[in-house]
Amino acid sequence: MAVTPFDSAMMRGLFGDDDIARLFSDSAEVRAMLLVEGALAQAQGELGVIPSDSAAFIKRAVMEVQIDPAGLSAETGINAVVVPALVKAFHAATEAPEHAQYFHWGATSQDIMDTALVLRLKQVLALFEERLKAIIKALGTLAETHADLPMAGRTYGQIASPTTFGATVATWGMPLIDHFQRLTELRPRLLRISLFGAAGTASQLEKAPELRRKMAMALGLTATDTPWHSTRDSIADYSGWLALVTGSLGKMGEDLLLLTQSGIAEVSLGGGGSSSTMPQKSNPVLPSLLVALARQVTALNAALQGAQIHRQQRDGAAWFVEWMNLGQITMATGRALTATGDLSGNITPDPDRMLTHIDDGLGLIYAEALSFELAKTQPRPQTQAEVKALCQQAKTDATPLPDLARAKWPDNPAALFTPENQLGEAPAQARTFAKAAKAY
């Protein structure tokens, strides 16, 4: 296996995301850095900071020049940043020293690399937004279709009281709507330009505020006059958002693992993975993948949150941590979203199986409803004790709780022991989510 499964030729069908891989390739990073350098030169030419003919040459050259990322490796291994090697390669490739001397004028490596990063993250967020929309819509349809379908609610792995499948789906979908809103709020904080020079003071950048505004406009980013070389809260914010998204998808995966497991089988997924030795198996691969990716992102997020501890005006160690983890955490989230998209349209509940687990032969799921019905005419502690004793009798005698309750309290309404009358707000919760999902 490769160092990470995301880069493995064997495992990329499971863990990979081709769209994210393209944005996090060496070639994509080099191309993004060249675009940033071109926007810098163009802005400097317009403001008279560098000769306009040199600015025009650089702007055109960054669109045409071909630089092999592998050729930047040796020098990057010495300098720990790729930009010095990139500048040399640009000079060599263009063979126009009178113009190329103005390439990377006044900027520092981190200006170029950070701006190139957010330039690519802008595309990442656009992809994630579209995937979230599709998932929310699919789950909204599923919740609306099954808003009234009763199923056993479970707490601590035990049957508790009735809910509906639509309400269960809503618990998967509503957090995604919240995450979509968080994405809207995250964008301007993350997608901002960096152009502040070696120590964050822009000391060698003439007309720096105007440069930043012109560059930001050219690149479709936000301008800021606040240096962020050593304040990495926007990167940590992005990482935290990825952890929230994958955490919510992982919860959905866990629920589906339990709902599809042998002995429960209340949901089918329209297919699964096969076993090398057991012909009968159809393994819930995608739900398992969602759980694994959520756990991986949680771990990587911890590293990226730690990278906020950034020494002084620039810190290589903290910055290196970002490089080692940001691509992986983005890839993992991208794959989690595609896997969820594939799942969302193929989830099919089994109403008969769900009803079987509500009425398991003993009707213990109605114990809570019974205790509250009795509490209308007698003290609550007394009803709790009496119903608990009756539940034990039901287990001992293998006699359904509703039968024992009717014999002891014949005036109780018969509807008390039907799931449709014990759903509470579950149908409304499903429909509330379904209505909200239609906006996407």
Side-chain angles (χ1 to χ4, degrees):
M1 187 187 295
V3 174
T4 78
F6 303 112
D7 296 324
S8 168
M10 289 189 299
M11 304 298 289
R12 67 186 178 199
L14 178 62
F15 293 102
D17 183 317
D18 290 343
D19 292 328
I20 300 302
R22 281 190 287 271
L23 292 171
F24 275 85
S25 68
D26 291 335
S27 296
E29 184 168 6
V30 169
R31 180 55 53 198
M33 288 190 292
L34 288 171
L35 289 174
V36 173
E37 295 280 14
L40 171 61
Q42 181 182 27
Q44 289 174 322
E46 291 173 359
L47 292 170
V49 175
I50 66 174
S52 59
D53 58 340
S54 295
F57 174 86
I58 293 169
K59 176 64 175 176
R60 182 175 64 254
V62 299
M63 303 299 291
E64 299 173 351
V65 70
Q66 298 295 318
I67 294 177
D68 180 8
L72 310 178
S73 175
E75 193 168 345
T76 301
I78 297 170
N79 297 324
V81 287
V82 72
V83 174
L86 180 72
V87 172
K88 286 185 179 181
F90 182 83
H91 278 251
T94 56
E95 297 181 334
E98 71 278 14
H99 296 310
Q101 65 177 312
Y102 296 107
F103 182 79
H104 193 62
W105 189 262
T108 194
S109 295
Q110 193 161 355
D111 288 328
I112 304 306
M113 294 176 68
D114 277 349
T115 304
L117 171 64
V118 297
L119 199 58
R120 290 177 291 137
L121 290 181
K122 181 181 179 182
Q123 297 179 67
V124 168
L125 295 188
L127 284 171
F128 288 177
E129 181 180 81
E130 289 307 308
R131 293 177 187 181
L132 270 175
K133 283 182 179 180
I135 293 166
I136 290 168
K137 280 184 175 295
L139 292 180
T141 299
L142 192 65
E144 185 172 43
T145 301
H146 302 291
D148 298 303
L149 175 58
M151 67 178 291
R154 295 174 173 90
T155 61
Y156 286 80
Q158 307 296 306
I159 290 177
S161 56
T163 182
T164 73
F165 184 62
T168 298
V169 174
T171 66
W172 304 337
M174 284 302 287
L176 301 183
I177 291 178
D178 292 337
H179 300 332
F180 194 95
Q181 178 60 38
R182 291 185 179 103
L183 175 57
T184 302
E185 297 163 357
L186 168 64
R187 267 200 174 89
R189 295 195 295 266
L190 178 66
L191 304 182
R192 53 184 177 157
I193 197 169
S194 178
L195 187 66
F196 296 96
T201 61
S203 59
Q204 303 306 314
L205 286 161
E206 297 179 54
K207 303 178 181 178
E210 295 91 339
L211 280 177
R212 286 191 287 268
R213 281 154 184 74
K214 282 184 172 292
M215 280 186 67
M217 183 174 296
L219 295 171
L221 299 175
T222 301
T224 177
D225 292 327
T226 302
W228 54 282
H229 288 334
S230 61
T231 53
R232 312 303 287 180
D233 53 292
S234 63
I235 300 298
D237 197 3
Y238 168 70
S239 176
W241 183 80
L242 299 182
L244 288 173
V245 171
T246 54
S248 295
L249 301 182
K251 184 271 191 290
M252 176 177 165
E254 285 279 24
D255 282 353
L256 289 172
L257 283 173
L258 295 171
L259 289 171
T260 58
Q261 81 176 40
S262 298
I264 295 181
E266 293 182 354
V267 165
S268 64
L269 304 177
S274 61
S275 166
S276 65
T277 185
M278 293 174 285
Q280 82 280 12
K281 294 290 291 297
S282 179
N283 295 323
V285 171
L286 291 182
S288 300
L289 180 62
L290 293 182
V291 175
L293 290 170
R295 291 172 179 166
Q296 176 76 347
V297 169
T298 297
L300 296 177
N301 179 52
L304 285 162
Q305 298 303 322
Q308 291 184 84
I309 307 170
H310 205 104
R311 295 176 183 171
Q312 301 167 327
Q313 281 66 52
R314 303 271 296 283
D315 180 3
W319 203 20
F320 299 168
V321 171
E322 289 183 14
W323 303 351
M324 290 188 286
N325 293 284
L326 202 61
Q328 290 189 67
I329 196 172
T330 302
M331 177 75 86
T333 304
R335 180 61 180 122
L337 287 166
T338 60
T340 306
D342 291 341
L343 274 172
S344 298
N346 292 297
I347 298 171
T348 304
D350 185 330
D352 293 335
R353 292 288 297 179
M354 289 178 172
L355 183 59
T356 296
H357 292 131
I358 290 175
D359 186 3
D360 58 356
L362 294 180
L364 297 176
I365 199 170
Y366 302 112
E368 181 187 39
L370 174 60
S371 67
F372 275 97
E373 181 67 25
L374 295 175
K376 294 176 181 179
T377 58
Q378 61 188 51
R380 170 80 170 141
Q382 179 183 340
T383 67
Q384 282 282 85
E386 289 184 0
V387 172
K388 191 168 186 176
L390 213 62
C391 288
Q392 189 57 49
Q393 183 181 345
K395 295 175 184 178
T396 302
D397 299 345
T399 302
L401 176 65
D403 292 349
L404 295 174
R406 290 188 191 99
K408 188 169 184 177
W409 300 289
D411 294 333
N412 281 335
L416 186 66
F417 303 111
T418 58
E420 292 78 9
N421 288 289
Q422 302 302 333
L423 297 177
E425 296 181 350
Q429 291 167 0
R431 291 190 174 91
T432 296
F433 164 62
K435 181 179 179 181
K438 289 179 181 178
Y440 295 83

